[in-house]
Amino acid sequence: MLTDIWTVMRKELQEAFNLGDRVGKFGILFMILSFGVLLPWQMGTAWVESPITLIYWSWVPLFLVNAVVADSFAGERERHTLETLLASRLPDQAILFGKLLAALVYGVGLTWISLLAGLVTINLTYGAGRFLFYPPLVALGVIGISLLSGGLAASAGVLVSLRAKTVQQATQVLSIAVMLLIFVPTFGLQALPAAWQERLWNIVSGWDVTQAVLVAIAVLALINGALIAAALRRFQRAQLIVD
């Protein structure tokens, strides 16, 4: 099974890095420069000292994974290669998890490259002879939340791509979902009365960072599990060929 999953993963990763005309290599470079150079340079040492960076590193994988995961099944359907793939002797789980893990490795890998670039930027700019790094809890939170955030995008993306007729349709659905996930809470909070905003801020500022990170990881893990289970139920070879 692991060999079959690796076979699918390797094929998908090769295709992902060849999607320059659709994904836009300049877009990826811009993302890395933004989160690896510009934002750390602007925020200063707070980039590694403040837990607020957890929010940034939960966003980045969403965009990077979405850039390729829409192509996972919808692209095969468009290129008329889905029937050939489904007719192979590869197990259902190998096909599904191979495509899901390839998108996850792509998005989270580039995210961690941005993370390392940010650390280099901070140390070169503000280090002054000392090594600046995240506090242990924040470092573990960044790694765990970015991984689970990428998993959320990958599992949801595979599920959407299984149903989508075209890559464009899958991309639109995933883009709308990400925008709603980011902007609805942001603008929703701004729409609250000032007294409610102040009360909410007092509650949040009183949270223990450890508990908040653990709760976020637990919630993301549960959502990931539910989406993967839904994708496994949806992955029916006969039905996919008919669709």
Side-chain angles (χ1 to χ4, degrees), residues 82-101:
L82 183 60
E83 293 81 359
T84 303
L85 177 64
L86 297 177
S88 68
R89 295 183 179 181
L90 291 168
D92 292 358
Q93 292 84 354
I95 296 174
L96 183 65
F97 284 110
K99 287 179 173 290
L100 190 153
L101 289 173

Side-chain angles (χ1 to χ4, degrees), residues 61-140:
L62 292 176
F63 292 103
L64 293 174
V65 171
N66 277 352
V68 296
V69 74
D71 188 80
S72 57
F73 287 99
E76 299 272 11
R77 188 175 284 114
E78 274 191 0
R79 295 187 293 270
H80 304 291
T81 56
L82 183 60
E83 293 81 359
T84 303
L85 177 64
L86 297 177
S88 68
R89 295 183 179 181
L90 291 168
D92 292 358
Q93 292 84 354
I95 296 174
L96 183 65
F97 284 110
K99 287 179 173 290
L100 190 153
L101 289 173
L104 179 63
V105 168
Y106 176 89
V108 175
L110 290 175
T111 298
W112 289 352
I113 289 173
S114 301
L115 175 65
L116 292 175
L119 289 174
V120 171
T121 299
I122 285 294
N123 279 278
L124 289 178
T125 309
Y126 301 99
R130 57 196 176 103
F131 179 65
L132 300 176
F133 193 70
Y134 296 101
L137 176 62
V138 175
L140 291 175

Side-chain angles (χ1 to χ4, degrees), residues 9 14 38 40 61 68 123 126 160 168 193 202 216 239:
M9 276 186 62
Q14 288 174 347
L38 182 60
V68 296
N123 279 278
Y126 301 99
V160 169
Q168 183 180 7
N202 290 334
Q239 184 63 39

Side-chain angles (χ1 to χ4, degrees), residues 130-210:
R130 57 196 176 103
F131 179 65
L132 300 176
F133 193 70
Y134 296 101
L137 176 62
V138 175
L140 291 175
V142 166
I143 294 172
I145 290 177
S146 63
L147 185 61
L148 288 170
S149 177
L152 176 65
S155 53
V158 165
L159 184 59
V160 169
S161 190
L162 278 168
R163 296 176 176 271
K165 301 295 184 183
T166 64
V167 175
Q168 183 180 7
Q169 181 185 15
T171 301
Q172 289 174 345
V173 172
L174 292 172
S175 298
I176 292 172
V178 170
M179 291 300 103
L180 290 175
L181 185 64
I182 293 175
F183 290 112
V184 168
T186 301
F187 290 105
L189 289 174
Q190 293 179 353
L192 292 174
W196 288 22
Q197 292 184 31
E198 183 178 358
R199 184 180 305 175
L200 184 61
W201 172 252
N202 290 334
I203 294 173
V204 172
S205 61
W207 282 358
D208 180 77
V209 176
T210 302

Side-chain angles (χ1 to χ4, degrees), residues 208-232:
D208 180 77
V209 176
T210 302
Q211 292 179 347
V213 170
L214 292 176
V215 168
I217 289 175
V219 170
L220 286 172
L222 287 174
I223 296 175
N224 271 274
L227 290 172
I228 291 172
L232 285 170

